[in-house]
Structure formats: C-alpha cells, structure tokens
Amino acid sequence: MDPLDRVVKPKTKRAKRFLEKREPKLKENTKIAMLIKGGNANLMVTEVLKDIYAVKKPFAVLYRKKNITRPFEDQTSLEFFSKKSDCSLFLFGSHNKKRPNNLVIGRMFDYHVLDMIELGVEKFVSLKDVKNSKCPEGTKPMLIFAGDMFDVNEEYRRLKSLLIDFFRGPTVPSIRLAGLEYVLHFTAVDGKIYMRSYKVLLKKSGCKIPRIELEEMGPSLDLVMRRTHLASDDLYKLSLKQPKALKPKKKKNISHDVFGTTYGRIHMQKQDLGKLQTRKMKGLKKRPADKAAEDSGVSPKKSKSA
C-alpha cells in the first residue's frame, strides 16, 4: 500500500487545516507547478528551470536536488512528487546525447499524468542576461499565441492548452489598467515554438488612452517539439467535467442574444382596454348627450343627424 494513500487522522489543528486544503472543492485552488531537475541536467537546463520558477512564483515548487527519472518510461516518481507537494503541473529538465537540453512539460489529473509534451531548447536568453527592469513577483501575465499550427495541429492545440494552464496564474474578478504589465508571447512557425516575455510600458500619448510599448524582459526560449504523451479523448473529457453545483441553472422565459443582451418573456392575461385609466382632461370628458347615446345603444353621430 502506498504510504500517501493511507487514511490520516489529524492530531493538531494545523494538520487539520492542511488536510482541509487538499480536499476537493467546488472552486479549486490556483494550480501549482513543480520544477524538477533530472539526474543529468546541464547548466542551461538548470538556468531555464530557475527562470521559469522566477516567472511562476509564488505558485511553483523548485526541487534543487537531481532526480534520476525518465517521465516517458516511468511516471511513478512524478506522481509521488505530485501527491507529496500537491502540484498538478510539472516541468522536468534533463540533458543527454540523444536529447540535449530537454524539457518535459505536463499536467496531472487525480495525481496521475494526464498529458505531457517533450520540448528541446535550441536557444536560451536568461532573465539576468537582459538588463531591463523586471515585473514584480506574482504578476499575472497576458498570454498571446500566434501561428496557425496552434489551431490546426492536434499536438500544438494540446500544447497551447497546456501552456495556458501552466502560466495563467490565479483567477481574478477584475483588473486595473496598470496591472496589465506582463506579456508572454508564443509563436509557432516552421516547426519551432518561440517563447518571448515582455514588460508593458504605458507612455503618455496626449489623450485618455496611453501609448503602449513592449520592452523585452526575459526569459527567451527557442523550442522544438519532440515526443508527446497525450490523454485519450475520454480521459481528457473526464478531466474537463464540472460539478453540477457550478453549472448555471436554466431560468424560464429568459434568453440571450449573441451580444450578451438578456431578453425576458412575460405572460399576462388579456387586458380590457375599455377599463384603461387615461389622463383626466377636460377635452377627454364625455358630454351628457354622448352618455345618453351610449346608454340607449346609439352612436352620438346618429343621434345628431336624427
């Protein structure tokens, strides 16, 4: 029996709070990524992991010791670390003659590997190599994807979903204009993926809308896709399933158009317009002859002509 699968009864209040954080919730916590260094990682791979950790903080865990494992051959160690640190995302770095400067990015579902993609680093510019100002820790980035491959190819489409999961950060209800200061740009062209990061500078423009400039901040990566391990359609669909409590309840007689306008249908009884109260004016008052004609059932015009 796996020691992490046993039923643990908390003995202190701190342990109880720790276990309550790991229980299933309607709205899950922000996903945390673990960054693991392989047993044969070189200096470039180590620097890449450190820079990604700096971008992801505080929603990341960096394992500084080397771990001898091969994710595509054996996934048990990744699943063990995932359960131990309560992480649902991972980035594994390694280096060998067959696959130099290797990164494996992936995600978990129920503490088991859902899908992972192997990427090779062909060019790397570190955060410390770019001498511009940096964004504060924990800044939520804006993600931009360019290239038809992200919409046409299934592997690139899954990679796009994986990168969004990895870098999106916490969910926020609203954001101010000054908070939009960090951009992560991914471009897929000619079989390569180019990752660039920029700091957004809001300059004076002489009007209400500021002039926007992008300043390269680092890190910068030129990647190439290698092996992939994608979840089956049924398992992927199961991982996207939402609890019933989160699904919006249908309201009767309410509809929405493509622009988001809400329309409501009201059901009323047939209205007698003869009893409708109008504005009281002298010109609208009935004359005695009209009242007498209505009582006798003859229209006022006929009584006049008679």
Side-chain angles (χ1 to χ4, degrees):
M1 182 180 177
D2 190 348
L4 291 175
D5 287 335
R6 68 181 187 274
V7 178
V8 180
K9 291 185 178 180
K11 295 181 180 179
T12 62
K13 288 185 177 180
R14 183 180 178 183
K16 187 179 179 181
R17 289 195 299 268
F18 176 78
L19 291 175
E20 284 176 351
K21 284 182 181 179
R22 294 200 170 194
E23 288 180 355
K25 305 176 184 65
L26 282 178
K27 292 185 178 179
E28 290 293 337
N29 303 330
T30 305
K31 292 183 178 181
I32 300 175
M34 55 181 181
L35 292 89
I36 303 171
K37 186 164 53 173
N40 50 357
N42 61 357
L43 182 62
M44 179 188 281
V45 169
T46 305
E47 290 297 320
V48 169
L49 293 175
K50 284 182 180 178
D51 281 10
I52 299 296
Y53 174 65
V55 169
K56 277 286 296 176
K57 280 195 303 186
F59 305 106
V61 176
L62 178 63
Y63 288 91
R64 299 186 182 275
K65 291 184 179 180
K66 292 185 177 182
N67 297 277
I68 302 171
T69 182
R70 294 181 176 88
F72 278 84
E73 281 76 29
D74 185 17
Q75 300 159 8
T76 53
S77 58
L78 285 177
E79 292 169 358
F80 172 79
F81 285 127
S82 171
K83 193 172 289 187
K84 183 181 178 182
S85 56
D86 194 23
C87 295
S88 56
L89 300 164
F90 67 89
L91 183 65
F92 177 83
S94 61
H95 173 78
N96 54 45
K97 189 176 180 180
K98 190 177 181 181
R99 295 183 180 88
N101 304 323
N102 204 46
L103 295 175
V104 179
I105 184 171
R107 54 188 163 190
M108 302 284 186
F109 173 63
D110 196 20
Y111 298 116
H112 295 288
V113 174
L114 178 67
D115 48 15
M116 56 184 173
I117 296 175
E118 192 176 59
L119 302 167
V121 182
E122 293 191 341
K123 188 180 177 183
F124 170 61
V125 179
S126 177
L127 267 168
K128 61 185 180 183
D129 294 336
V130 182
K131 302 301 180 184
N132 296 329
S133 58
K134 314 298 179 188
C135 289
E137 180 185 315
T139 305
K140 185 177 171 69
M142 295 179 283
L143 302 176
I144 302 173
F145 292 87
D148 296 334
M149 294 297 288
F150 284 123
D151 300 318
V152 175
N153 189 290
E154 179 59 29
E155 291 181 344
Y156 279 83
R157 193 185 297 123
R158 195 67 65 90
L159 175 63
K160 178 182 176 181
S161 170
L162 191 53
L163 290 171
I164 291 173
D165 246 6
F166 197 90
F167 290 106
R168 69 184 301 174
T171 304
V172 291
S174 59
I175 193 166
R176 60 193 179 95
L177 181 62
L180 302 173
E181 54 179 334
Y182 183 31
V183 173
L184 274 175
H185 194 284
F186 298 92
T187 307
V189 61
D190 297 332
K192 292 184 181 181
I193 301 106
Y194 299 94
M195 174 185 165
R196 300 290 183 268
S197 56
Y198 302 98
K199 185 175 182 181
V200 179
L201 303 176
L202 302 177
K203 303 281 188 177
K204 291 182 179 179
S205 62
C207 59
K208 192 175 182 181
I209 301 172
R211 180 169 57 87
I212 297 171
E213 288 185 4
L214 296 180
E215 184 179 69
E216 192 166 354
M217 189 182 73
S220 159
L221 292 164
D222 292 1
L223 305 166
V224 60
M225 189 181 293
R226 290 174 179 165
R227 292 180 292 177
T228 59
H229 171 85
L230 303 181
S232 62
D233 292 339
D234 295 336
L235 182 60
Y236 189 68
K237 190 176 180 181
L238 181 64
S239 68
L240 298 174
K241 191 176 180 181
Q242 288 186 337
K244 289 183 179 179
L246 283 179
K247 292 181 180 177
K249 294 182 179 178
K250 286 187 177 181
K251 295 182 180 179
K252 290 184 178 180
N253 304 319
I254 290 179
S255 59
H256 303 273
D257 63 5
V258 292
F259 302 105
T261 309
T262 305
Y263 295 96
R265 181 178 293 177
I266 301 172
H267 297 274
M268 298 178 64
Q269 294 180 352
K270 192 174 181 181
Q271 191 175 10
D272 185 5
L273 299 177
K275 296 180 180 179
L276 186 67
Q277 177 67 48
T278 57
R279 189 177 176 185
K280 293 180 180 179
M281 290 175 60
K282 285 185 178 181
L284 295 174
K285 284 184 179 180
K286 292 181 180 179
R287 294 172 294 176
D290 295 340
K291 286 184 180 179
E294 279 186 4
D295 293 340
S296 61
V298 184
S299 64
K301 284 186 178 180
K302 286 185 179 179
S303 61
K304 223 175 194 180
S305 60

